[in-house]
């Protein structure tokens, strides 16, 4: 991105209204302990700067709205072109349903095939801004995939905890991007608890799902796009299949901001749909309740929507639906699959089951008369299922944690949980990389990150490399040969002449054409020699594993 800005963002407590300056890491309100904080921007200033005119000149993509996203410096943005997805006017489906203005917001067209790409782009950008290089996420599938892809580009190591109900294709997709996939035999809510415990015990950054500021902030960009596409107007309805509810909460917030900016006339009414076997929000809404009764054992094949405990997010959604109008429906798995086939056949859209749930709900909302023929209706076509060829990954792509016998759902006895987590091998091996080219060092670090637990430290020249080795006593040293100042040959000589360091294995990674004499000299000192440019990651990894044995 060519533009850089520094901006002032405040956080506002969704419970008591307390305001504080946004610094990136805050998770709770210091006054009341609330864990959902909302980002607030200087909308008045934006209104005065002719923002809309500027937008017209900007490239497509979600970050065209960067002033309203929680990144302090735009240099940290990690984008893959997410956002600006098409609003397709439903053709045959609109006719079938008698809806003249049915729009399908085609979020399948994100880089990893679901609207979680928006969330991943903002969340990973925030991690970059905070200089965080390792993170933990719990997911029903798509978050893991999207985060894994963006984390790969950002050089961030990702631990993705997935409930075992997630289809294998999705787990493999996340593994393909280099995430550490941990398959938890248990519900999604139990999986979240396991991930949180893991992050805590390893002192790693934990993504808090809908509660993470990036979540709602990213989702609201759908509102901006919808309004812009409709000529800066709000539709009458926004409909989505929901799990944690961040989509509709984000979209409502987006329209609230647009109203303040003078760019929308209202917030659309919200239609939510859940799987019959896991519909805590729908049951609560229909019963007129502000608090949802948890579903402890979701009975649905549609893992994407298997949040049994929506918690505070539902309260927020409930008040939005009270204020702006709303409706809620359930759909059985069979109804969803039927909608899936229909949508593919009549409008050429192949969607994942969680998205089909929304369409099955839409049919019911039309039938019940909630949606009127002239209403402008936007439905979130939230995701596409992308299969992964099994043979690409082999069979070692996931680690396993079984908490199904430890206790019911998320009230896990502590020892049971800890011993389950011990099944995840997290032995850390320390690696010092001495390399003056930062991009090469980053690449090495990324390769190691995705293949196990390596703590990689980088030194940019020979002198500081030696210092780092003395300080950290790594398990292995990877060094370049050509570096300014002290070169690799000298570094190796010094290491080998120091009794306390001479045992540490050394791997040389170089682009230099070695003379026979140089080869000879190195052969007695080092454990592996790899030619840069020609090396593949498997080779590097195998050399390291071999030298560690
Ligand atoms: C996450 C997800 C949902 C549910 O989203 P929330 O707004 O968090 O409830 C629906 N469909 C797909 C494809 C998803 O990935
Ligand atoms: Zn508060």
């Amino acid at each position: 991105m060519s533009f850089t800005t520094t901006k002032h963002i405040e956080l506002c407590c969704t419970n008591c209204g307390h305001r504080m300056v946004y610094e990136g890491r805050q998770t709770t309100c210091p006054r009341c302990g609330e864990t959902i904080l909302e980002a607030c921007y200087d909308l008045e200033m934006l209104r005065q700067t002719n923002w809309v005119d500027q937008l017209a000149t900007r490239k497509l993509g979600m970050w065209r709205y960067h002033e309203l996203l929680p990144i302090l410096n735009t240099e940290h943005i990690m984008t893959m072109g997410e956002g600006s997805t098409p609003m397709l006017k439903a053709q045959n489906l609109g006719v079938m349903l008698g809806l003249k203005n049915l729009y399908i917001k085609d979020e399948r067209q994100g880089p990893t095939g679901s609207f979680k790409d928006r969330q991943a782009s903002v969340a990973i950008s925030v991690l970059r801004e905070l200089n965080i290089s390792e993170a933990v996420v719990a997911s029903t599938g798509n978050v893991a995939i999207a985060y894994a892809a963006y984390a790969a580009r950002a050089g961030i190591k990702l631990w993705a905890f997935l409930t075992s109900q997630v289809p294998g294709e999705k787990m493999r997709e996340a593994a393909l991007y280099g995430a550490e996939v941990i398959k938890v035999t248990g519900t999604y809510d139990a999986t979240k608890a396991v991930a949180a415990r893991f992050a805590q015990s390893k002192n790693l950054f934990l993504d808090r799902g809908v509660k993470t500021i990036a979540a709602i902030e990213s989702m609201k960009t759908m509102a901006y796009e919808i309004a812009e596409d409709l000529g800066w107007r709000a539709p009458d309805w926004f409909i989505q299949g929901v799990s944690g509810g961040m989509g509709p909460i984000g979209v409502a917030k987006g329209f609230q901001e647009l109203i303040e900016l003078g760019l929308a006339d209202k917030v659309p009414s919200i239609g939510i749909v859940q799987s019959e076997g896991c519909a805590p929000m729908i049951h609560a809404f229909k019963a007129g309740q502000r608090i949802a009764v948890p579903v402890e054992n979701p009975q649905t094949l549609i893992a994407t929507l298997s949040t049994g405990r929506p918690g505070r997010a539902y309260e927020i959604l409930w008040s939005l639906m009270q204020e702006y109008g709303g409706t809620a429906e359930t759909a059985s798995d069979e109804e969803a699959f039927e909608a899936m086939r229909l949508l593919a056949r009549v409008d050429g859209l192949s969607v994942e089951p969680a998205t089909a749930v929304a369409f099955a709900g839409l049919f019911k909302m039309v039938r019940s008369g909630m949606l009127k023929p002239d209403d402008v209706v936007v439905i979130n076509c939230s995701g596409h299922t992308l299969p992964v060829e099994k043979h690409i990954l082999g069979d070692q792509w996931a680690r396993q944690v079984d908490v199904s016998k430890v206790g019911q759902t998320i009230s896990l006895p502590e020892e049971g949980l800890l011993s389950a987590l011990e099944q995840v091998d997290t032995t850390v091996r320390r690696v010092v990389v001495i390399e003056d080219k930062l991009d090469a060092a980053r690449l090495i670090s990324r390769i190691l990150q995705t293949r196990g637990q390596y703590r990689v430290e980088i030194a940019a020249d020979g002198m500081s490399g030696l210092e780092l080795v003395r300080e950290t006593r790594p398990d292995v040293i990877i060094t370049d040969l050509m570096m300014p100042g002290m070169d690799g040959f000298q570094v190796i000589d010094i290491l080998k002449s120091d009794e306390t360091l001479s045992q540490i294995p050394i791997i040389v990674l170089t682009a230099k054409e070695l003379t026979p004499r140089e080869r000879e000299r190195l052969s007695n000192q080092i454990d592996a020699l790899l030619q840069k440019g020609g090396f593949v990651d498997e080779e590097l990894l195998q050399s390291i594993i071999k030298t560690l044995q």
Side-chain angles (χ1 to χ4, degrees), residues 296-548:
E296 297 295 359
N297 280 300
Q299 299 295 320
T300 172
L301 295 172
I302 303 172
T304 305
L305 300 185
S306 63
T307 300
R309 294 175 166 256
R312 267 284 286 156
Y314 170 70
E315 291 178 51
I316 293 173
L317 193 51
W318 186 83
S319 16
L320 290 168
M321 291 167 79
Q322 296 309 304
E323 191 170 351
Y324 305 116
T327 186
E329 290 289 354
T330 60
S332 69
D333 289 4
E334 288 67 34
E335 286 168 333
F337 298 146
E338 187 48 43
M340 194 170 155
R341 286 186 286 265
L342 180 78
L343 191 59
R345 280 198 302 261
V346 305
D347 264 330
L349 300 169
S350 163
V351 301
E352 73 163 272
T355 304
V357 167
F359 282 88
L362 170 78
F363 303 162
K364 293 184 181 178
M365 290 169 190
V366 171
R367 234 174 281 142
S368 74
M370 272 313 287
L371 305 187
K372 305 281 181 294
D374 290 320
D375 283 353
V376 177
V377 179
V378 176
I379 183 163
N380 184 351
C381 190
S382 52
H384 197 311
T385 308
L386 303 168
V388 169
E389 296 298 328
K390 281 187 191 179
H391 62 270
I392 295 178
L393 290 165
D395 48 14
Q396 293 292 318
W397 51 271
R399 301 156 188 244
Q400 309 255 3
V401 172
D402 189 345
V403 292
S404 63
K405 292 183 196 69
V406 175
Q408 280 304 306
T409 63
I410 69 169
S411 49
L412 299 162
E414 194 71 347
E415 323 90 72
L417 183 47
L418 278 178
S419 71
L421 275 175
E422 273 162 19
Q423 300 158 14
V424 180
D425 173 20
T426 56
T427 316
V428 177
R429 288 160 189 102
R430 305 189 73 132
V431 182
V432 163
V433 177
I434 309 171
E435 168 68 75
D436 61 318
K437 282 161 237 62
L438 203 58
D439 51 353
R442 279 207 202 102
L443 175 62
I444 294 167
S445 169
R446 173 65 190 160
I447 290 168
L448 293 174
Q449 242 181 19
T450 62
R451 310 310 281 283
Q453 271 293 80
Y454 293 94
R455 168 99 189 259
V456 182
E457 273 148 314
I458 297 168
D461 59 69
M463 268 312 234
S464 48
L466 284 173
E467 243 168 69
L468 192 58
V469 169
R470 290 198 178 100
E471 237 170 69
T472 62
R473 306 279 155 154
D475 298 299
V476 62
I477 298 163
I478 301 175
T479 183
D480 193 2
L481 289 178
M482 294 179 298
M483 290 178 286
M486 183 189 291
D487 71 15
F489 291 105
Q490 287 172 283
V491 171
I492 294 168
D493 284 342
I494 294 172
L495 287 171
K496 289 301 165 189
S497 63
D498 182 333
E499 258 175 46
T500 60
L501 305 174
S502 61
Q503 296 311 310
I504 305 175
I506 300 173
I507 295 171
V508 167
L509 189 57
T510 183
K512 185 173 160 46
E513 280 297 331
L514 296 176
T515 64
R517 173 119 42 80
E518 284 169 333
R519 266 180 196 281
E520 170 73 26
R521 175 179 169 191
L522 286 175
S523 67
N524 302 317
Q525 295 179 307
I526 67 169
D527 299 83
L529 174 68
L530 297 171
Q531 296 290 128
K532 229 186 283 181
F535 87 92
V536 286
D537 70 340
E538 198 51 41
E539 212 179 316
L540 175 61
L541 193 77
Q542 290 310 328
S543 307
I544 292 170
I545 291 168
K546 222 174 76 200
T547 50
L548 284 173

Side-chain angles (χ1 to χ4, degrees), residues 41-49 260-261:
Y41 306 81
D42 192 342
L43 296 174
E44 191 43 45
M45 196 190 73
L46 208 55
R47 198 181 168 132
Q48 286 163 13
T49 57
E260 274 192 59
L261 288 166

Side-chain angles (χ1 to χ4, degrees), residues 95-126:
V95 175
M96 276 179 65
L97 294 173
L99 288 177
K100 295 196 199 87
N101 304 295
L102 173 60
Y103 293 94
I104 297 169
K105 180 69 173 156
D106 194 4
E107 290 293 302
R108 301 176 313 156
Q109 299 194 34
T112 74
S114 86
F115 75 136
K116 298 301 196 302
D117 286 321
R118 296 177 191 265
Q119 185 189 354
S121 179
V122 176
I124 298 296
S125 299
V126 170

Side-chain angles (χ1 to χ4, degrees), residues 77-143:
I77 291 173
M78 178 51 70
T79 180
M80 294 211 281
E82 59 294 317
S84 292
T85 56
M87 280 247 282
L88 306 173
K89 186 98 190 263
Q91 298 295 325
N92 300 320
L93 194 66
V95 175
M96 276 179 65
L97 294 173
L99 288 177
K100 295 196 199 87
N101 304 295
L102 173 60
Y103 293 94
I104 297 169
K105 180 69 173 156
D106 194 4
E107 290 293 302
R108 301 176 313 156
Q109 299 194 34
T112 74
S114 86
F115 75 136
K116 298 301 196 302
D117 286 321
R118 296 177 191 265
Q119 185 189 354
S121 179
V122 176
I124 298 296
S125 299
V126 170
L127 292 185
R128 281 179 101 194
E129 187 151 87
L130 297 175
N131 217 359
I132 290 171
S133 60
E134 196 164 344
V136 177
V137 72
S139 168
T140 57
N142 293 340
V143 159

